[in-house]
Every structure is written in C-alpha cells, then in structure tokens.
Amino acid sequence: MTDTPSPTRKPVFDAVRRMLGRGFRPAEVDALDQALDPVLTPEGDASGDEGDTLCAKADTPAFLPLDSVPCVPSVPHIRRSERNRTQSPRTVGDAGIALIKRFEGCARLRRDGLVEAYPDPGTGGAPWTIGWGATRGGLFGFVTAETVWTQEQCDERLVDDLARYAAEVERAIGDAPTMQAQFDALVSFHYNTGAIARATLTRKHRAGDYAGATAEFARWNRAGGRVLKGLVRRRAEEAKLYHSAQ
C-alpha cells in the first residue's frame, strides 16, 4: 500500500464521462462504482500503519430538513421474490441496529412522505445514498440523485442489508469466540466500510486480541484523505459497544 490518499469517485466519474462524450447508462455507473471499491481501501492497514481511508457516508446528519422537491412519479415496486435471500445464523442485536440507524439515518424525508437520495459527504456527489445507508444494487437499481423510495422500501432494504452484512461478518470471523455486542459492533463497522474481510481489526479479533481490535476502530475515520467528525463519533461508539463485551 502507498501513503497517498485514495482518490474519491467523483474525479474518476467526471473523467470517464468526458472520454465517453455522454452521460452514463445505469449499468455503466454500477460497473464503474464496483470497480472503484477496491481503491477505497485502508492505506497501511496490512502493515498496521495509520491512515485508513474509506468512502464514508456516516458524516451525513441523521436528520436533514424537509425538502420541497416535486415528487418523482416513478417509485420502484418491491418484488419480494427478488429480494436478497442471504441469511446468517447470527443476527444483529438491538444495540447494533440502534447504532446503525443512529448514524445512517433515514434522511431527506420529503413533504409528500417519500425519501430521496443525498450525496456522499466526501465527494458532494456519487455515490448517492438513500434510506438507511443504501447506495446501490438489488431490485432498486443504482441510486442516483433522482432516486426516491417509500419508507417501507427503506425499512425493507435495511432488513435485507443487515442479514447480508451479518452473514459476511460471520464468514470473516469464522469460529472465533464472539459475544453479541462484539458481533453488533463488527456489523456496524462493516455496514459503513465494507472492509470486514481485509481489516486488521478482524485479524486481531480472530486472534483473541480484543484490546487491539478495540483500538483499530478509531483508525477508520477518513474519507477523501480527511478526517470526518461523523466517522470519529461512529467509530468511538462501535469501539465502546465492542469493548462492553469484555
């Protein structure tokens, strides 16, 4: 890894758009966004150096002012048969769900009762986020500035995402002894960073170094090369929840 801060998505999106000479098709946006995910990895994580970087949406206020943008008539219909079927034997506890909801926030509630997307705090644009921290994928398609969901869609997506992230955390920690509070904190961390499989935090947890794992949370506090207060607060709360099981 290098010590150069990971680039944000926006300059890359803009450069590709100029090369194409046109706007993106939804499938192209999704493919490019997925291709950029590996770029947003923690710098120095493998060596234990400081300077972790991630695409962080947690700095967005939990509640934003009501927006008076006119209603977009096309609201996606939830087809339950196509919802994420990934289930984990372990589930996130109430403390973990409350922590995730607190920092993700179901923001941008409009006067017509719909919820609209908001920009990434690190880029001021893509990746756009909606509901309880959703940015893309599944039956809703890629989230854009024009995306609107109902509250029911936001809540159902949260249930699906919690199951998926819980399953990924469980695979990452394997058979390491894990208390519920630790598991909840790890799911919240992964929900925000997507880094559970590669983080030093995970390796220390598997090794039973719980004090070391607790200290690792604080390293993941940057987006776009700068520390975000929202991430500092979130990592502190996750570390506190993780440590409460010791």
Side-chain angles (χ1 to χ4, degrees), residues 16-176:
V16 175
R17 187 182 294 108
R18 286 194 295 270
M19 287 187 291
L20 291 174
R22 59 172 172 80
F24 290 109
R25 299 185 178 92
E28 293 170 338
V29 175
D30 199 13
L32 183 56
D33 189 78
Q34 291 185 47
L36 288 174
D37 278 344
V39 177
L40 299 170
T41 56
E43 299 146 0
D45 187 63
S47 63
D49 296 334
E50 295 301 324
D52 290 342
T53 301
L54 63 149
C55 179
K57 52 186 176 290
D59 200 46
T60 303
F63 299 97
L64 299 179
L66 291 175
D67 200 314
S68 59
V69 176
C71 175
V72 178
S74 178
V75 178
H77 175 66
I78 292 181
R79 293 169 289 175
R80 296 178 183 275
S81 63
E82 296 182 15
R83 291 176 60 192
N84 190 332
R85 295 180 176 82
T86 302
Q87 299 295 325
S88 170
R90 294 201 65 161
T91 58
V92 187
D94 291 342
I97 295 173
L99 194 158
I100 291 170
K101 281 189 169 184
R102 173 185 169 189
F103 283 97
E104 295 296 343
C106 197
R108 289 290 177 94
L109 176 64
R110 304 183 342 173
R111 297 187 185 280
D112 59 9
L114 295 177
V115 177
E116 66 180 28
Y118 55 87
D120 178 82
T123 68
W128 289 81
T129 302
I130 195 170
W132 301 105
T135 57
R136 67 174 187 271
L139 60 109
F140 298 115
F142 192 83
V143 177
T144 69
E146 291 75 32
T147 301
V148 290
W149 290 356
T150 64
Q151 186 64 56
E152 179 186 16
Q153 287 169 317
C154 294
D155 294 343
E156 290 193 353
R157 177 59 179 272
L158 174 64
V159 171
D160 284 350
D161 284 347
L162 287 175
R164 175 165 59 88
Y165 284 115
E168 291 173 358
V169 168
E170 188 160 43
R171 284 196 296 272
I173 63 178
D175 58 359

Side-chain angles (χ1 to χ4, degrees), residues 185-208:
L186 292 172
V187 172
S188 175
F189 168 80
H190 183 47
Y191 195 104
N192 179 237
T193 68
I196 196 67
R198 64 180 184 270
T200 298
L201 187 161
T202 308
R203 293 196 291 275
K204 290 189 175 183
H205 175 79
R206 288 199 303 259

